[in-house]
Amino acid sequence: MATTLSNLRLVCGTTHHAMAATIAAVLSCEFTTAEVERFPDGELCPRVGNVRGDDVFVIAPTGSPASEHLVELLLLVDACGRGGAARITAVMPYFAYARQDRRTRSGEAVGARVVADALVAAGAQRVVVVDPHTTALEAMCGVPTEMITAVPVLARALRADLSADAVVVAPDLGAVKLARRYSTLLQRPLAIVSKTRVSAEQVTAEGLVGDVTDRTAVIVDDMISTGATIKAAARLVLDNGGRAGIIVAATHGLLVGPACQRLEAASNGIGSLLVTDSVPPVYRAGLYVEVHTISGLLADAIGRLHSDQDLDELLMQS
Ligand code: R5P
């Protein structure tokens, strides 16, 4: 029998007010926009108001600038704890630092673990995250971590007028599991690109397994940051005989630095780009980005967690 813990309250700061407001409207629950004061030296000081006894969900994607948004989230969580919230869930539609899930060179940190520890230290009793870069987050966080997926949302949009000969392309080995989910939902075959990262902004794509010749490629990834990965994969698809009019779908459209310029270049053969609103959408002249909302998905997850129901159908599959 489902139980209701206490008053459901959503709290947001400055990172994605539109999404938090939409979720609150769907759930018809209490909604607080924290005042976030910025001191002259750059420090943030949020005030959340009265949350005493509430089941609080702090909605805060940590998109660019990641570190600043992360500190805001940690302070919001701490403020809710000190204000007497009965339970605090950090809802991170995009979880920054997840790519730092291991050291690739000596002298590096494991950023994902540091963020996970900081969330728990601040007082988060549960974390909700959408299509994180690594599923290792669940093991890293010392509190229950629900990893839900936006793949069905984007797959539904892709299915609308997808050609029968389309092929789903994983732009690197790390994206294979995600691409397999798209391939299953879209009932299209899979191709895989072998990618090497040269630097934070440069990659090379050396080989492609699978048949893309005369087909429409649907390149899928968890995130687009600088656009290097997608650009290299699109180039390789074209070099292997793929059709122009490539479709790109990614949960997190960070689109930072040179991304928009890279992806709008006609030579890439990219015809459309679909992302979700896990971070506030970026609008740039010349680049058409189709944004699909995950507010409904998050509202569903929060409603279920509040009333102690399971999330099975919303979770990422292994
Ligand atoms: C890395 O493995 C991720 O899944 C993305 O492919 C990558 O982070 C995207 O970054 P960028 O757009 O800068 O290539």
Side-chain angles (χ1 to χ4, degrees), residues 99 133 172 195 197 200 203 221-229:
R99 287 182 291 177
H133 177 68
D172 56 28
K195 168 187 108 176
R197 184 163 284 285
V203 304
D221 209 347
D222 59 323
M223 60 187 285
I224 303 174
S225 181
T226 68
T229 301

Side-chain angles (χ1 to χ4, degrees), residues 121-169:
Q125 289 152 285
R126 192 169 46 195
V127 177
V128 175
V129 53
V130 182
D131 290 330
H133 177 68
T134 174
T135 52
L137 275 189
E138 181 162 18
M140 289 183 188
C141 287
V143 293
T145 301
E146 311 291 355
M147 297 184 292
I148 61 178
T149 181
V151 170
V153 172
L154 290 173
R156 235 184 338 266
L158 288 165
R159 218 181 278 131
D161 48 7
L162 193 61
S163 60
D165 64 3
V167 53
V168 174
V169 177

Side-chain angles (χ1 to χ4, degrees), residues 94 99 102 133 171-175 178 195 197 199-203 220-231 252 254-256 258-259 262-263:
Y94 170 66
R99 287 182 291 177
R102 64 193 184 288
H133 177 68
D172 56 28
L173 296 182
L178 180 94
K195 168 187 108 176
R197 184 163 284 285
S199 70
E201 289 200 20
Q202 299 294 335
V203 304
V220 298
D221 209 347
D222 59 323
M223 60 187 285
I224 303 174
S225 181
T226 68
T229 301
I230 296 298
K231 181 180 173 177
H252 311 294
L254 302 187
L255 300 172
V256 296
R262 280 177 172 167
L263 300 180

Side-chain angles (χ1 to χ4, degrees), residues 48-220:
V48 296
N50 184 14
V51 295
R52 195 162 297 283
D54 290 345
D55 185 15
V56 172
F57 290 77
V58 180
I59 316 277
T62 47
S64 176
S67 303
E68 172 146 341
H69 288 168
L70 176 64
V71 170
E72 182 179 308
L73 167 61
L74 295 173
L75 294 175
L76 287 171
V77 168
D78 183 75
C80 291
R82 290 176 197 283
R87 185 169 64 179
I88 305 167
T89 302
V91 180
M92 303 170 71
Y94 170 66
F95 190 111
Y97 287 92
R99 287 182 291 177
Q100 294 184 34
D101 58 343
R102 64 193 184 288
R103 292 180 296 163
T104 55
R105 282 176 302 187
S106 60
E108 290 182 344
V110 180
R113 176 63 194 254
V114 173
V115 172
D117 285 349
L119 284 166
V120 178
Q125 289 152 285
R126 192 169 46 195
V127 177
V128 175
V129 53
V130 182
D131 290 330
H133 177 68
T134 174
T135 52
L137 275 189
E138 181 162 18
M140 289 183 188
C141 287
V143 293
T145 301
E146 311 291 355
M147 297 184 292
I148 61 178
T149 181
V151 170
V153 172
L154 290 173
R156 235 184 338 266
L158 288 165
R159 218 181 278 131
D161 48 7
L162 193 61
S163 60
D165 64 3
V167 53
V168 174
V169 177
D172 56 28
L173 296 182
V176 172
K177 276 189 179 170
L178 180 94
R180 204 177 283 141
R181 275 180 247 138
Y182 277 100
S183 160
T184 304
L185 288 172
L186 297 171
Q187 297 181 298
R188 300 291 192 280
L190 183 62
I192 300 167
V193 169
S194 162
K195 168 187 108 176
T196 304
R197 184 163 284 285
V198 179
S199 70
E201 289 200 20
Q202 299 294 335
V203 304
T204 55
E206 300 96 3
L208 190 147
V209 179
D211 183 13
V212 296
T213 313
D214 289 329
R215 290 170 178 262
T216 300
V218 183
I219 305 177
V220 298

